Amino acid sequence: MGGVSVFSKLALESLTPIWFLVWLYLISTILCFPFGKKIVLPKDARYKRFFVLHIFGMMFGWYLSVVGLQYLDAPSAAFLSRVEFPIIMAISFFFLKEKLSKGIFVSIILSSVGVALMAEQGMLNDLLSFQKGKNWGIFLVMLASLGFALGELGTKIIAGKMNSRVFAFLRNLIMLAIVTCAALLMEGFRAPTAMGLLYAGLAGISGPVLARILYMEALKRIKLGEASVYTQMEPVAALLFALFLGMELPEKNEYLGGGLILLSCLFLLWFQGRQKRLTSLSR
């Protein structure tokens, strides 16, 4: 997933957000075609509803995050997207009855301080006046995390009921149809540049193809809250990609804030491991 923010940022230099999503999902749909697999949805209506929830959450999250990315450097956006983590933990507790670790409260505090450090002064005024800039980008990426968290709830429910490649193909195909209609209505047809198409394809491979299939396979084996912990290393990968490609890097306060967000996730990972060890010793 680390390459998604970086390649998306590069693609946005020549593509609008909505047309970026069109090319991303077109390429992702083609690459995810499940050769030799029967393309069907689960018969249970409950699973179909969660499939719809997944699509809605992901489309909401993807669009807002891509729009917000226009105002941020790629590593900073990757750090901010980790706000998704406490939301997923809360959803896992309320809807999936997964145990909520007490360490999450420390994690939320550290994450909140990290976001505050990354923001510029006057964030509330900027948001109320719809002033498009860094603070607006931070707000959109954080709001997108809610959509991604809802989408992952749908993923977890369906994970054991569908083949991972069939799931990725169907959801990419449906999302492609929706964003294509939206793009044509909003902006009319816009032909992509060669570089824009290349970076959209790389973002698609990094996210909706490889990451989606591998993540769904992981959810068949571990809890949603636990899986969300291991995805917290995404910002580090995004930073390495940005360094390698010579892209804009975060400022000092953004490194500090992003570091606190990452630290909050690592703390929770350590705390959960400690609780498991204590529980096993008490038996």
Side-chain angles (χ1 to χ4, degrees):
M1 283 293 287
V4 176
S5 296
V6 171
F7 295 132
S8 297
K9 180 70 174 181
L10 291 170
L12 290 172
E13 292 178 0
S14 57
L15 300 173
T16 63
I18 191 67
W19 274 106
F20 161 72
L21 291 177
V22 170
W23 302 120
L24 176 139
Y25 279 110
L26 174 61
I27 295 169
S28 300
T29 301
I30 295 171
L31 294 177
C32 280
F33 189 83
F35 292 100
K37 302 292 182 180
K38 191 175 181 180
I39 304 175
V40 292
L41 284 170
K43 295 181 179 180
D44 193 317
R46 175 173 178 264
Y47 297 124
K48 292 179 181 178
R49 289 195 294 271
F50 276 105
F51 185 72
V52 172
L53 175 66
H54 169 82
I55 290 176
F56 169 78
M58 286 298 172
M59 288 198 62
F60 179 83
W62 261 104
Y63 184 71
L64 289 186
S65 64
V66 171
V67 173
L69 183 58
Q70 295 178 108
Y71 308 106
L72 302 168
D73 60 80
S76 292
F79 277 116
L80 287 164
S81 69
R82 297 305 87 201
V83 176
E84 173 189 343
F85 172 65
I87 299 176
I88 287 181
M89 294 294 289
I91 286 176
S92 299
F93 173 73
F94 287 110
F95 294 98
L96 303 181
K97 307 303 179 184
E98 293 184 3
K99 188 176 180 181
L100 188 64
S101 170
K102 293 179 181 179
I104 193 174
F105 300 108
V106 176
S107 179
I108 290 174
I109 292 172
L110 288 173
S111 295
S112 300
V113 173
V115 171
L117 286 172
M118 296 182 76
E120 294 179 337
Q121 291 185 350
M123 183 173 187
L124 182 58
N125 289 332
D126 287 348
L127 297 181
L128 292 176
S129 61
F130 296 97
Q131 182 67 39
K132 294 182 179 179
K134 180 179 176 181
N135 286 336
W136 185 246
I138 289 174
F139 171 72
L140 290 179
V141 171
M142 291 176 62
L143 187 59
S145 297
L146 174 61
F148 286 132
L150 289 173
E152 298 308 351
L153 172 62
T155 306
K156 177 60 179 177
I157 298 299
I158 302 171
K161 307 300 177 182
M162 289 183 69
N163 175 271
S164 299
R165 288 178 60 197
V166 171
F167 173 84
F169 172 76
L170 277 179
R171 75 113 195 199
N172 288 342
L173 180 63
I174 293 171
M175 292 170 76
L176 169 63
I178 294 172
V179 296
T180 300
C181 290
L184 292 172
L185 288 172
M186 292 168 60
E187 301 178 1
F189 178 74
R190 293 193 179 189
T193 64
M195 294 306 295
L197 197 58
L198 171 64
Y199 289 127
L202 291 173
I205 294 171
S206 302
V209 180
L210 288 178
R212 175 53 44 193
I213 292 174
L214 294 175
Y215 187 67
M216 192 171 179
E217 287 295 320
L219 287 179
K220 294 178 181 180
R221 297 165 174 81
I222 59 178
K223 295 179 179 179
L224 176 59
E226 184 179 350
S228 66
V229 174
Y230 296 108
T231 63
Q232 301 314 305
M233 298 309 293
E234 176 190 346
V236 177
L239 182 59
L240 293 176
F241 270 111
L243 280 169
F244 178 76
L245 295 173
M247 296 175 63
E248 180 185 1
L249 298 175
E251 298 176 358
K252 291 181 180 179
N253 64 306
E254 293 171 331
Y255 277 117
L256 181 58
L260 281 176
I261 294 173
L262 184 58
L263 178 62
S264 71
C265 303
L266 295 176
F267 168 79
L268 191 52
L269 177 60
W270 169 82
F271 190 89
Q272 288 180 322
R274 177 175 177 272
Q275 290 296 104
K276 287 180 180 179
R277 289 193 295 272
L278 291 176
T279 301
S280 62
L281 290 174
S282 63
R283 290 177 180 175

